[in-house]
């Protein structure tokens, strides 16, 4: 693939101009085909140009960028979401491993996203990120249903309610899943997933353990104590994390 055919959809003219200038100057892999100011223009441009990449503002008049995607029968392009708001949507974006940029735009983050997408499009035309994202956005008032986890071989799409606990392994995290013997090894830190997974269900009980409280079957008292999970694994609760753990069960 020589260049990424791209369009951008943003209702603010200044934002369109800034992003267009950045792409022209810093992203030679991108061939910008159209600049659109609303969802209707964006849909028409996607149909006309069949882009590889769409830069999509989230908050727009008369709808969101997610509304645009939901109107498509098939999403066979990659998406970089652009937003001025660090709001509920960010968690859904993180859960799907989707690309997003916060305004004001950071040039290095833009370049990094474009480079990664350029390499990915050489391997696949499917946009699994968007598929997972739209599923989670539909349940924005609930716990996100799925998380996309990058592995050494590719990625795994995992239902949140199948995660028993996460275990730190240096700069990696092992995901222990229901009915799966071998844990998934993911090249992100446990802190990364602590910040991402729903706090109403996932609790950090130790520097090496982040548990899904739905799978706790027993707590044994002690200085910190320990929990027994549904898979019969016993995990230590650090004294420092004990109040947070007990609060999750309203036992403090």
């Amino acid at each position: 693939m020589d260049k990424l055919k791209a369009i951008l959809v943003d209702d603010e003219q200044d934002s369109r101009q800034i992003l267009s200038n950045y792409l022209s100057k810093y992203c030679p892999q991108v061939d910008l085909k159209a600049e659109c100011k609303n969802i209707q223009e964006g849909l028409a441009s996607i149909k006309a140009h069949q882009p590889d990449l769409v830069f999509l503002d989230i908050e727009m008049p008369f709808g969101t960028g997610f509304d645009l995607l939901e109107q498509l029968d098939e999403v066979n392009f990659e998406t970089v979401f652009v937003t001025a708001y660090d709001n509920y949507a960010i968690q859904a974006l993180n859960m799907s491993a989707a690309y997003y940029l916060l305004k004001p735009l950071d040039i290095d983050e833009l370049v990094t996203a474009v480079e990664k997408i350029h390499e990915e499009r050489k391997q696949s035309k499917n946009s699994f990120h968007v598929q997972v994202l739209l599923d989670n956005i539909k349940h924005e008032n609930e716990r996100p249903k799925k998380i996309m986890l990058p592995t050494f071989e590719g990625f795994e799409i995992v239902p949140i309610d199948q995660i028993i606990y996460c275990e730190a392994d240096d700069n990696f995290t092992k995901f222990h899943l229901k009915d799966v013997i071998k844990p998934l090894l993911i090249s992100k830190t446990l802190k990364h997933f602590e910040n991402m997974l729903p706090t109403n269900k996932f609790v950090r009980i130790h520097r090496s353990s982040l548990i899904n409280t739905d799978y706790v079957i027993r707590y044994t008292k002690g200085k910190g104590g320990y929990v027994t999970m549904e898979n019969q694994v016993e995990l230590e609760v650090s004294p420092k994390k004990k109040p947070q753990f007990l609060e999750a069960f309203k036992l403090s």
Side-chain angles (χ1 to χ4, degrees):
M1 175 181 288
D2 295 324
K3 286 197 172 188
L4 295 165
K5 290 189 298 180
I7 68 170
L8 69 87
V9 185
D10 194 319
D11 64 294
E12 298 178 354
Q13 183 176 352
D14 289 346
S15 295
R16 294 196 302 272
Q17 187 63 53
I18 289 170
L19 180 51
S20 177
N21 289 341
Y22 283 176
L23 291 172
S24 176
K25 188 172 183 179
Y26 301 106
C27 301
Q29 313 96 317
V30 174
D31 179 13
L32 187 60
K33 295 293 187 181
E35 299 179 27
C36 311
K37 63 178 180 293
N38 55 43
I39 290 174
Q40 184 176 3
E41 288 185 7
L43 289 169
S45 289
I46 289 170
K47 183 176 180 180
H49 296 289
Q50 296 295 305
D52 303 297
L53 172 60
V54 173
F55 292 92
L56 184 57
D57 190 16
I58 294 179
E59 303 290 341
M60 291 183 286
F62 313 111
T64 69
F66 306 131
D67 295 327
L68 180 152
L69 294 172
E70 288 179 340
Q71 292 184 48
L72 297 169
D73 294 330
E74 183 180 17
V75 178
N76 52 16
F77 53 81
E78 193 52 81
T79 307
V80 174
F81 296 91
V82 183
T83 180
Y85 305 99
D86 187 0
N87 58 10
Y88 76 88
I90 299 302
Q91 184 187 41
L93 292 167
N94 282 327
M95 298 289 283
S96 64
Y99 297 101
Y100 68 89
L101 302 170
L102 292 175
K103 298 177 182 178
L105 298 180
D106 182 283
I107 294 171
D108 290 337
E109 291 179 358
L110 171 64
V111 170
T112 297
V114 168
E115 288 177 346
K116 287 182 178 179
I117 291 169
H118 191 241
E119 288 302 311
E120 288 177 2
R121 294 295 286 185
K122 294 178 182 178
Q123 307 299 322
S124 174
K125 299 295 185 182
N126 294 315
S127 182
F128 297 101
H129 307 283
V130 170
Q131 294 171 20
V132 175
L133 172 66
L134 291 179
D135 187 46
N136 286 338
I137 286 292
K138 290 176 182 177
H139 301 84
E140 65 187 70
N141 294 322
E142 308 169 13
R143 276 191 293 156
K145 294 181 63 178
K146 297 177 182 178
I147 184 171
M148 179 177 281
L149 301 174
T151 65
F152 294 108
E153 295 79 21
F155 62 83
E156 297 275 347
I157 298 174
V158 174
I160 298 298
D161 60 7
Q162 296 299 299
I163 301 171
I164 300 176
Y165 71 97
C166 304
E167 176 188 5
D169 187 357
D170 292 327
N171 289 324
F172 295 82
T173 300
K174 291 180 179 177
F175 275 72
H176 296 264
L177 307 176
K178 184 177 177 64
D179 300 325
V180 177
I181 296 175
K182 185 178 179 180
L184 286 176
L185 183 63
I186 308 300
S187 59
K188 299 282 187 180
T189 64
L190 187 61
K191 181 67 175 178
H192 174 83
F193 293 109
E194 181 184 9
N195 293 334
M196 182 184 298
L197 289 165
T199 56
N200 63 330
K201 287 297 179 184
F202 287 84
V203 178
R204 186 79 173 260
I205 62 167
H206 191 274
R207 60 182 175 84
S208 62
S209 303
L210 175 68
I211 65 168
N212 184 342
T213 56
D214 285 344
Y215 288 97
V216 174
I217 62 171
R218 185 180 305 113
Y219 170 68
T220 303
K221 292 181 179 180
K223 185 176 181 181
Y226 63 89
V227 295
T228 303
M229 306 302 289
E230 190 176 292
N231 61 353
Q232 300 303 313
V233 171
E234 293 183 350
L235 300 171
E236 180 184 355
V237 179
S238 72
K240 184 178 179 180
K241 298 293 187 182
K242 182 177 179 179
Q244 180 182 352
F245 167 75
L246 294 178
E247 172 63 22
F249 291 91
K250 307 299 181 184
L251 298 174
S252 57

